[in-house]
Amino acid sequence: MKKIAIIPGDGIGKEVTREVRQLLDVYRRDAGLPIELWDLNLGADRYLSAGLTMPEDVLSTIGKDCQAVFLGALGDPRVPGHEHARDILFGLRFGLDLYANIRPVRALDDRLVPLKGKRAEQIDFVVFRENTEGAYANIGGQLRRGTADEVLWLRVFREVRELYPEIESDHMYVDALCLRMVQAPEEFQVIVTNNLFGDIVTDLAAALQGGLGMAASANVHAANGEAVAMFEPVHGSAPALAGKDVANPFAAFLTTGMMLGHLGWPGEERRIESAVARAIAERQCTPDVGGSLGTRAAGARLREQIQRSFQGTPVPQG
Ligand SMILES: NC(=O)c1ccc[n+]([C@@H]2O[C@H](COP(=O)([O-])OP(=O)(O)OC[C@H]3O[C@@H](n4cnc5c(N)ncnc54)[C@H](O)[C@@H]3O)[C@@H](O)[C@H]2O)c1
């Protein structure tokens, strides 16, 4: 049994997480997937009503008992200092040492690519963003200089490159990288970058794949899948869209696919991605990606399609 903590958070985070929650129920009920869901009522509402952000015991239970956390989004105009968001998001990222942020960037339809003359197949890469250091941790420049953990990007890059001569690699400054991502995105398969640049570069990457409504991410400690990992759509709580049933739930669904892949069901990541690609092609989607459905209707159509696909290709129990 895999245990998943679910934190809807704020704004559209709550709406897209409601859709994900129902998809996970479909997986439990109709596909017999051995997952247990732990709903956590954490976010601005809880902070404003009870002063609670991320209780210590909840964080330690997540670290001990859960294999994954799904987080909607955090950020609420009633909390301008972002106190709750900082405690919850950074509590999870730093508290569980989720040092790698993984952002697949794949355009699922030609129509979603905003670059003239480029096709969906030319947008297919992964960004690895360092997740716990740099400007967002109030630390700039070199870290732990002179120790085994010294942070000097270029020297380490050159040393590691020597170990893998079969992998073609290049160092690029971030301004040149942004230019190239727009001119020739097909040149990239993997981008490794630091926390601050990663934040910016991944929003540019999201634009290449159809916008923030299509961008998924994982925060992991190690590649071996043993430690708890956190999964969140790249978008924020978009307060201007909240409560209007217009938020695109597909970034959250694609994120759920990454989570199921991480938990040992890689076929489900592919199943969810194909269902999303089909929904986009058939315009069974929200207005930001060319459809006319609301969040609930787009979510329900996608779940129906996934449910139907269980008959053709059952879910392996792992
Ligand atoms: N990891 C997180 O929880 C996270 C990430 C980014 C921003 N935030 C917070 O979210 C709040 C709003 O931030 P922001 O406006 O800069 O970024 P945002 O991602 O919330 O929204 C930016 C714009 O992108 C579009 N958009 C985003 N998600 C969408 C979706 N699912 N469907 C359709 N359109 C979508 C909307 O036009 C929206 O106005 C702030 O409080 C910020 O701190 C949280």
Side-chain angles (χ1 to χ4, degrees), residues 12 43 189 260 305 318:
I12 65 165
Q189 283 82 50
L260 294 181
Q305 202 186 313

Side-chain angles (χ1 to χ4, degrees), residues 11 42 71 92 126 132 153 167 169 176 221 252 282:
L42 299 173
L71 174 66
L92 288 162
V126 184
T132 54
W153 276 85
I167 298 178
S169 58
H221 175 76
E282 294 174 352

